[in-house]
Amino acid sequence: MPDPRSSRGSLAVVGIGPAGLLDMTQRAHQAILHSDVVIGYQAFLDRVPELLSGKEIISSSMGDERERALISLERAAGGSRVALLSGGDPGIYGMASPIVEELIAYGDEPLAFDVTIIPGVTASTASGSLLGSPLAQDHGVISLSDRFVPWSVISQRLHALMVADLVVVIYEPSSRHRPENMKKAHAVIQEHRGPETPVAIVKDAYRETQSVIFTSVGRLLDHQYDMRTTVIIGSSETVQSGRWMSTPRFHSKLKEE
Ligand code: SAH
Protein backbone atom coordinates (compact mmCIF):
# COMPACT_ATOMS: atom_id res chain seq x y z
CA MET A 1 0.00 0.00 0.00
CA PRO A 2 1.40 3.46 -0.77
CA ASP A 3 2.50 5.31 2.34
CA PRO A 4 0.28 8.42 2.42
CA ARG A 5 3.05 10.41 4.19
CA SER A 6 5.68 9.61 1.59
CA SER A 7 6.62 12.19 -1.01
CA ARG A 8 8.09 9.41 -3.17
CA GLY A 9 6.10 7.88 -5.96
CA SER A 10 4.65 4.44 -5.43
CA LEU A 11 2.96 1.67 -7.27
CA ALA A 12 0.36 -0.61 -5.68
CA VAL A 13 -0.86 -3.49 -7.81
CA VAL A 14 -4.27 -3.90 -6.24
CA GLY A 15 -6.33 -7.08 -6.26
CA ILE A 16 -9.92 -5.86 -6.24
CA GLY A 17 -11.54 -9.27 -5.80
CA PRO A 18 -14.31 -10.81 -7.91
CA ALA A 19 -16.88 -8.02 -7.80
CA GLY A 20 -17.31 -4.75 -5.92
CA LEU A 21 -16.19 -3.05 -2.72
CA LEU A 22 -17.65 -5.66 -0.34
CA ASP A 23 -15.37 -8.36 -1.70
CA MET A 24 -12.21 -6.29 -1.47
CA THR A 25 -9.76 -6.28 1.45
CA GLN A 26 -9.31 -3.18 3.61
CA ARG A 27 -5.72 -3.02 2.38
CA ALA A 28 -6.87 -2.86 -1.25
CA HIS A 29 -9.45 -0.24 -0.34
CA GLN A 30 -6.85 1.93 1.42
CA ALA A 31 -4.35 1.58 -1.41
CA ILE A 32 -6.85 2.97 -3.90
CA LEU A 33 -7.95 5.75 -1.53
CA HIS A 34 -4.35 6.83 -0.95
CA SER A 35 -3.42 6.92 -4.63
CA ASP A 36 -3.57 9.89 -6.96
CA VAL A 37 -3.59 7.97 -10.24
CA VAL A 38 -5.78 4.89 -10.78
CA ILE A 39 -5.05 2.75 -13.81
CA GLY A 40 -7.15 -0.17 -15.00
CA TYR A 41 -9.41 -1.83 -17.45
CA GLN A 42 -12.68 0.14 -17.57
CA ALA A 43 -14.75 -2.75 -16.15
CA PHE A 44 -12.54 -2.74 -13.02
CA LEU A 45 -12.78 1.05 -12.63
CA ASP A 46 -16.58 0.74 -12.88
CA ARG A 47 -16.59 -1.60 -9.86
CA VAL A 48 -15.08 0.96 -7.48
CA PRO A 49 -16.60 4.35 -8.41
CA GLU A 50 -16.79 5.33 -4.71
CA LEU A 51 -12.98 5.32 -4.50
CA LEU A 52 -12.18 7.33 -7.61
CA SER A 53 -13.31 10.86 -6.90
CA GLY A 54 -10.61 13.51 -7.36
CA LYS A 55 -8.19 11.05 -8.91
CA GLU A 56 -6.64 10.92 -12.32
CA ILE A 57 -8.09 7.91 -14.09
CA ILE A 58 -6.29 6.05 -16.86
CA SER A 59 -8.51 3.44 -18.48
CA SER A 60 -7.20 1.01 -21.05
CA SER A 61 -8.49 -1.92 -23.02
CA MET A 62 -8.14 -5.54 -21.87
CA GLY A 63 -5.38 -6.67 -24.18
CA ASP A 64 -2.97 -3.93 -23.16
CA GLU A 65 -1.49 -5.49 -20.01
CA ARG A 66 2.11 -4.67 -20.85
CA GLU A 67 1.28 -1.12 -21.89
CA ARG A 68 -0.68 -0.63 -18.66
CA ALA A 69 2.27 -1.99 -16.69
CA LEU A 70 4.72 0.38 -18.40
CA ILE A 71 2.49 3.42 -17.89
CA SER A 72 2.08 2.50 -14.21
CA LEU A 73 5.83 2.17 -13.70
CA GLU A 74 6.52 5.44 -15.55
CA ARG A 75 3.97 7.37 -13.51
CA ALA A 76 5.27 5.96 -10.22
CA ALA A 77 8.84 6.82 -11.27
CA GLY A 78 7.59 10.35 -12.00
CA GLY A 79 6.43 10.74 -8.38
CA SER A 80 2.74 9.74 -8.57
CA ARG A 81 1.09 7.34 -6.16
CA VAL A 82 -0.32 4.85 -8.61
CA ALA A 83 -2.95 2.16 -7.98
CA LEU A 84 -3.01 -0.38 -10.80
CA LEU A 85 -6.23 -2.40 -10.56
CA SER A 86 -6.32 -6.13 -11.24
CA GLY A 87 -9.41 -8.36 -10.94
CA GLY A 88 -9.41 -11.04 -8.23
CA ASP A 89 -5.84 -11.57 -7.06
CA PRO A 90 -3.15 -9.76 -9.08
CA GLY A 91 -0.76 -12.70 -8.79
CA ILE A 92 -3.16 -15.16 -10.45
CA TYR A 93 -3.32 -14.51 -14.21
CA GLY A 94 -3.22 -10.82 -13.29
CA MET A 95 -1.18 -7.61 -13.40
CA ALA A 96 1.50 -8.58 -10.87
CA SER A 97 3.26 -10.59 -13.57
CA PRO A 98 3.96 -7.86 -16.18
CA ILE A 99 5.07 -5.51 -13.37
CA VAL A 100 7.41 -7.97 -11.68
CA GLU A 101 8.81 -9.14 -15.03
CA GLU A 102 9.70 -5.52 -15.86
CA LEU A 103 11.27 -5.00 -12.43
CA ILE A 104 13.39 -8.12 -12.74
CA ALA A 105 14.51 -7.04 -16.23
CA TYR A 106 15.41 -3.64 -14.77
CA GLY A 107 17.96 -5.30 -12.50
CA ASP A 108 19.25 -4.70 -8.98
CA GLU A 109 19.50 -0.91 -8.99
CA PRO A 110 17.34 0.56 -6.23
CA LEU A 111 14.03 1.95 -7.46
CA ALA A 112 13.02 5.54 -6.81
CA PHE A 113 9.54 4.37 -5.81
CA ASP A 114 7.93 1.67 -3.68
CA VAL A 115 6.14 -1.29 -5.22
CA THR A 116 3.58 -3.43 -3.39
CA ILE A 117 1.34 -6.23 -4.59
CA ILE A 118 -1.94 -6.34 -2.70
CA PRO A 119 -3.70 -9.72 -2.67
CA GLY A 120 -7.37 -10.17 -3.44
CA VAL A 121 -10.07 -12.83 -3.37
CA THR A 122 -9.44 -14.92 -6.45
CA ALA A 123 -12.10 -16.52 -8.68
CA SER A 124 -11.40 -20.04 -7.37
CA THR A 125 -12.14 -19.21 -3.74
CA ALA A 126 -14.96 -16.81 -4.62
CA SER A 127 -16.61 -19.53 -6.73
CA GLY A 128 -15.79 -22.26 -4.22
CA SER A 129 -17.50 -20.32 -1.44
CA LEU A 130 -20.76 -20.21 -3.42
CA LEU A 131 -20.69 -23.99 -3.81
CA GLY A 132 -19.82 -25.11 -0.29
CA SER A 133 -16.39 -26.69 0.10
CA PRO A 134 -15.23 -28.20 -3.20
CA LEU A 135 -11.62 -27.07 -2.61
CA ALA A 136 -11.22 -28.54 0.89
CA GLN A 137 -8.64 -31.06 -0.31
CA ASP A 138 -5.74 -30.51 -2.70
CA HIS A 139 -6.67 -28.92 -5.98
CA GLY A 140 -5.10 -27.49 -9.10
CA VAL A 141 -5.82 -24.30 -11.02
CA ILE A 142 -5.46 -24.06 -14.79
CA SER A 143 -6.25 -21.42 -17.40
CA LEU A 144 -7.40 -22.59 -20.82
CA SER A 145 -6.19 -19.36 -22.41
CA ASP A 146 -3.55 -20.13 -25.02
CA ARG A 147 -2.51 -16.49 -25.36
CA PHE A 148 0.76 -17.09 -23.47
CA VAL A 149 0.96 -20.90 -23.21
CA PRO A 150 0.55 -23.21 -26.24
CA TRP A 151 -2.39 -25.60 -26.19
CA SER A 152 -0.10 -28.64 -26.20
CA VAL A 153 1.29 -27.53 -22.81
CA ILE A 154 -2.16 -26.70 -21.38
CA SER A 155 -3.38 -30.11 -22.45
CA GLN A 156 -0.39 -31.87 -20.81
CA ARG A 157 -0.91 -29.95 -17.57
CA LEU A 158 -4.63 -30.73 -17.52
CA HIS A 159 -3.80 -34.38 -18.11
CA ALA A 160 -1.38 -34.34 -15.15
CA LEU A 161 -4.00 -32.74 -12.87
CA MET A 162 -6.49 -35.40 -13.92
CA VAL A 163 -4.04 -38.25 -13.27
CA ALA A 164 -3.35 -36.81 -9.80
CA ASP A 165 -7.10 -36.95 -9.05
CA LEU A 166 -7.05 -33.30 -7.96
CA VAL A 167 -10.14 -31.13 -8.00
CA VAL A 168 -9.47 -28.79 -10.94
CA VAL A 169 -10.47 -25.15 -11.18
CA ILE A 170 -10.60 -23.88 -14.74
CA TYR A 171 -10.08 -20.15 -15.34
CA GLU A 172 -10.64 -18.52 -18.75
CA PRO A 173 -12.56 -21.54 -20.09
CA SER A 174 -13.50 -19.94 -23.37
CA SER A 175 -13.68 -16.67 -25.23
CA ARG A 176 -14.82 -15.29 -28.55
CA HIS A 177 -11.36 -16.04 -29.93
CA ARG A 178 -11.10 -19.48 -28.32
CA PRO A 179 -14.57 -21.06 -28.32
CA GLU A 180 -13.16 -24.56 -28.84
CA ASN A 181 -11.05 -24.79 -25.71
CA MET A 182 -13.66 -26.34 -23.41
CA LYS A 183 -14.36 -28.97 -26.05
CA LYS A 184 -10.67 -29.83 -26.23
CA ALA A 185 -10.40 -29.82 -22.43
CA HIS A 186 -13.42 -32.11 -22.15
CA ALA A 187 -11.69 -34.67 -24.34
CA VAL A 188 -8.87 -34.85 -21.76
CA ILE A 189 -11.15 -34.71 -18.70
CA GLN A 190 -13.48 -37.51 -19.75
CA GLU A 191 -10.54 -39.88 -20.25
CA HIS A 192 -9.91 -39.75 -16.50
CA ARG A 193 -13.15 -38.84 -14.71
CA GLY A 194 -16.42 -40.77 -14.85
CA PRO A 195 -19.46 -39.13 -16.50
CA GLU A 196 -21.20 -38.65 -13.11
CA THR A 197 -18.30 -36.69 -11.58
CA PRO A 198 -19.75 -33.42 -10.24
CA VAL A 199 -18.94 -30.17 -12.03
CA ALA A 200 -19.95 -26.63 -11.11
CA ILE A 201 -20.07 -23.66 -13.46
CA VAL A 202 -19.95 -20.30 -11.71
CA LYS A 203 -20.49 -17.13 -13.68
CA ASP A 204 -20.06 -13.58 -12.33
CA ALA A 205 -19.49 -14.66 -8.71
CA TYR A 206 -20.70 -11.97 -6.27
CA ARG A 207 -21.99 -9.75 -9.07
CA GLU A 208 -25.67 -8.99 -9.72
CA THR A 209 -25.61 -11.32 -12.71
CA GLN A 210 -24.20 -14.24 -10.68
CA SER A 211 -25.23 -17.76 -11.69
CA VAL A 212 -24.31 -21.22 -10.41
CA ILE A 213 -24.99 -24.38 -12.38
CA PHE A 214 -24.33 -27.91 -11.17
CA THR A 215 -23.66 -30.44 -13.89
CA SER A 216 -21.35 -33.40 -14.49
CA VAL A 217 -18.39 -34.42 -16.64
CA GLY A 218 -20.78 -36.30 -18.95
CA ARG A 219 -22.87 -33.14 -19.52
CA LEU A 220 -20.00 -30.65 -19.60
CA LEU A 221 -20.52 -29.68 -23.23
CA ASP A 222 -24.27 -29.01 -22.80
CA HIS A 223 -23.41 -25.57 -21.35
CA GLN A 224 -22.09 -22.18 -22.46
CA TYR A 225 -18.73 -20.88 -21.26
CA ASP A 226 -17.27 -17.41 -21.42
CA MET A 227 -14.52 -15.32 -19.88
CA ARG A 228 -16.64 -14.47 -16.81
CA THR A 229 -17.03 -18.13 -15.90
CA THR A 230 -15.06 -20.43 -13.61
CA VAL A 231 -15.51 -24.20 -13.83
CA ILE A 232 -14.81 -26.59 -10.96
CA ILE A 233 -14.31 -30.25 -11.87
CA GLY A 234 -14.68 -32.64 -8.95
CA SER A 235 -12.21 -35.37 -8.01
CA SER A 236 -13.19 -38.99 -7.35
CA GLU A 237 -14.13 -37.87 -3.81
CA THR A 238 -16.26 -34.84 -4.65
CA VAL A 239 -19.99 -35.06 -4.01
CA GLN A 240 -22.85 -32.75 -4.93
CA SER A 241 -26.12 -32.63 -3.01
CA GLY A 242 -28.82 -29.95 -3.07
CA ARG A 243 -27.08 -26.58 -3.12
CA TRP A 244 -23.76 -28.02 -1.93
CA MET A 245 -20.62 -29.34 -3.57
CA SER A 246 -18.06 -30.88 -1.23
CA THR A 247 -14.75 -32.68 -1.40
CA PRO A 248 -14.85 -34.13 2.11
CA ARG A 249 -11.85 -33.61 4.31
CA PHE A 250 -13.14 -34.93 7.62
CA HIS A 251 -14.97 -37.91 6.13
CA SER A 252 -12.62 -38.56 3.25
CA LYS A 253 -12.85 -42.07 1.82
CA LEU A 254 -9.06 -42.01 1.56
CA LYS A 255 -8.61 -41.82 5.33
CA GLU A 256 -6.99 -44.88 6.87
CA GLU A 257 -9.20 -46.64 9.37
N1 SAH B 1 -6.77 -12.44 -11.40
C1 SAH B 1 -8.09 -13.01 -11.53
C2 SAH B 1 -8.18 -13.99 -12.69
C3 SAH B 1 -7.93 -13.34 -14.03
S1 SAH B 1 -8.23 -14.47 -15.35
C4 SAH B 1 -8.48 -13.71 -10.23
O1 SAH B 1 -7.63 -13.89 -9.36
O2 SAH B 1 -9.66 -14.06 -10.08
C5 SAH B 1 -9.94 -14.17 -15.65
C6 SAH B 1 -10.77 -15.38 -15.29
O3 SAH B 1 -11.08 -15.38 -13.90
C7 SAH B 1 -12.11 -15.42 -15.97
O4 SAH B 1 -12.01 -15.92 -17.30
C8 SAH B 1 -12.89 -16.36 -15.07
O5 SAH B 1 -12.52 -17.69 -15.31
C9 SAH B 1 -12.34 -15.98 -13.70
N2 SAH B 1 -13.18 -15.00 -12.99
C10 SAH B 1 -12.82 -13.75 -12.62
N3 SAH B 1 -13.81 -13.16 -11.92
C11 SAH B 1 -14.83 -14.06 -11.85
C12 SAH B 1 -16.13 -14.03 -11.25
N4 SAH B 1 -16.57 -12.96 -10.57
N5 SAH B 1 -16.90 -15.15 -11.36
C13 SAH B 1 -16.47 -16.24 -12.02
N6 SAH B 1 -15.25 -16.31 -12.60
C14 SAH B 1 -14.44 -15.24 -12.52
Side-chain angles (χ1 to χ4, degrees), residues 4-5 15 39 48 65 72 86 91 98 138 151 192 211 215 232 237:
R5 294 155 307 183
I39 301 181
V48 293
E65 283 104 339
S72 305
S86 193
D138 300 333
W151 181 263
H192 303 275
S211 77
T215 184
I232 301 190
E237 287 223 277

Side-chain angles (χ1 to χ4, degrees), residues 48-68:
V48 293
E50 301 88 336
L51 304 183
L52 302 182
S53 76
K55 302 189 187 300
E56 182 187 346
I57 305 298
I58 301 177
S59 147
S60 64
S61 65
M62 196 56 161
D64 293 335
E65 283 104 339
R66 181 141 191 280
E67 192 191 328
R68 239 180 300 161

Side-chain angles (χ1 to χ4, degrees), residues 157-214:
R157 289 177 181 171
L158 182 59
H159 177 83
L161 292 171
M162 288 293 139
V163 170
D165 195 24
L166 295 170
V167 170
V168 173
V169 184
I170 298 179
Y171 283 61
E172 302 182 300
S174 182
S175 74
R176 239 179 321 135
H177 311 292
R178 297 178 284 274
E180 292 303 302
N181 287 1
M182 264 316 269
K183 218 171 170 175
K184 291 194 271 179
H186 178 251
V188 178
I189 294 165
Q190 54 95 39
E191 273 177 43
H192 303 275
R193 307 260 158 120
E196 297 309 321
T197 308
V199 170
I201 304 169
V202 179
K203 181 167 176 175
D204 287 339
Y206 291 97
R207 302 180 195 148
E208 274 179 16
T209 43
Q210 169 180 300
S211 77
V212 173
I213 294 172
F214 287 120

Side-chain angles (χ1 to χ4, degrees), residues 1-12 31 33-36 75-82 111-116:
M1 181 180 3
D3 179 348
R5 294 155 307 183
S6 170
S7 58
R8 272 157 65 100
S10 60
L11 170 59
L33 274 184
H34 292 149
S35 67
D36 20 69
R75 293 302 302 269
S80 298
R81 290 175 303 176
V82 178
L111 289 172
F113 55 97
D114 303 310
V115 179
T116 46

Side-chain angles (χ1 to χ4, degrees), residues 14-20 23-24 28 32 44-45 47-48 85-90 120:
V14 185
I16 64 165
D23 308 296
M24 198 183 292
I32 300 172
F44 298 156
L45 293 163
R47 290 199 220 151
V48 293
L85 307 189
S86 193
D89 184 284

Side-chain angles (χ1 to χ4, degrees), residues 97-244:
S97 177
I99 292 292
V100 174
E101 286 172 47
E102 286 301 323
L103 294 176
I104 289 175
Y106 179 76
D108 290 337
E109 247 176 87
L111 289 172
F113 55 97
D114 303 310
V115 179
T116 46
I117 314 282
I118 298 180
V121 176
T122 188
S124 66
T125 52
S127 303
S129 70
L130 295 173
L131 305 170
S133 59
L135 309 181
Q137 284 193 32
D138 300 333
H139 58 276
V141 170
I142 190 162
S143 164
L144 297 192
S145 167
D146 49 11
R147 202 147 70 96
F148 303 112
V149 179
W151 181 263
S152 57
V153 174
I154 296 172
S155 166
Q156 260 172 20
R157 289 177 181 171
L158 182 59
H159 177 83
L161 292 171
M162 288 293 139
V163 170
D165 195 24
L166 295 170
V167 170
V168 173
V169 184
I170 298 179
Y171 283 61
E172 302 182 300
S174 182
S175 74
R176 239 179 321 135
H177 311 292
R178 297 178 284 274
E180 292 303 302
N181 287 1
M182 264 316 269
K183 218 171 170 175
K184 291 194 271 179
H186 178 251
V188 178
I189 294 165
Q190 54 95 39
E191 273 177 43
H192 303 275
R193 307 260 158 120
E196 297 309 321
T197 308
V199 170
I201 304 169
V202 179
K203 181 167 176 175
D204 287 339
Y206 291 97
R207 302 180 195 148
E208 274 179 16
T209 43
Q210 169 180 300
S211 77
V212 173
I213 294 172
F214 287 120
T215 184
S216 63
V217 165
R219 288 177 286 145
L220 200 60
L221 296 183
D222 296 351
H223 305 276
Q224 301 281 322
Y225 301 93
D226 63 19
M227 290 301 266
R228 284 149 50 192
T229 305
T230 296
V231 185
I232 301 190
I233 314 281
S235 70
S236 64
E237 287 223 277
T238 306
V239 293
Q240 195 269 309
S241 172
R243 60 164 285 205
W244 304 118

